Amino acid sequence: MDVLDRVYYMRAIVGVVAGVVAGLIIAPGTDQSTAVGISVMIGIIFYIISIAIGRGMAKNVPKEQRKKVATNGVFPFIFLLIMFMILIFTALHQSMISVSQ
């Protein structure tokens, strides 16, 4: 398996973890702008962590591939962060969701 593939999958896993953390931290009743700010800050923090891990994984990679480490896997990171944040928040607070009839 190529180093960039491992960085891609590592970043996807970090996106899942960030989504779970964001889903746990955001409380029901939080206004939308605060919830968006919290999720963006969690995403930035976890993405910086994934960059540090990715650089550690790509020590013996040629220089032109090493530049791709910072951006490789950014879309699955964002998608999985949002998806798991919604899933965890909904699962924890489904009793508070009102159904209009």
Side-chain angles (χ1 to χ4, degrees), residues 48-86:
I48 290 171
I49 292 169
S50 74
I51 288 175
I53 294 170
R55 285 185 181 163
M57 292 169 66
K59 285 182 180 176
N60 300 327
V61 174
K63 188 170 184 164
E64 59 274 354
Q65 282 189 336
R66 208 174 316 137
K67 293 178 182 179
K68 295 179 184 179
V69 170
T71 59
N72 191 19
V74 69
F75 292 116
F77 176 85
I78 293 169
F79 174 74
L80 289 168
L81 182 140
I82 293 170
M83 186 179 76
F84 275 86
M85 178 181 62
I86 292 169

Side-chain angles (χ1 to χ4, degrees), residues 3-61:
V3 172
L4 289 178
D5 290 338
R6 286 188 281 164
V7 169
Y8 182 89
Y9 291 117
M10 177 272 305
R11 193 152 288 145
I13 292 169
V14 171
V16 169
V17 172
V20 170
V21 169
L24 292 172
I25 288 178
I26 297 172
T30 306
D31 63 351
Q32 186 175 2
S33 61
T34 305
V36 169
I38 290 170
S39 62
V40 167
M41 288 307 296
I42 289 172
I44 290 171
I45 290 167
F46 276 88
Y47 195 77
I48 290 171
I49 292 169
S50 74
I51 288 175
I53 294 170
R55 285 185 181 163
M57 292 169 66
K59 285 182 180 176
N60 300 327
V61 174

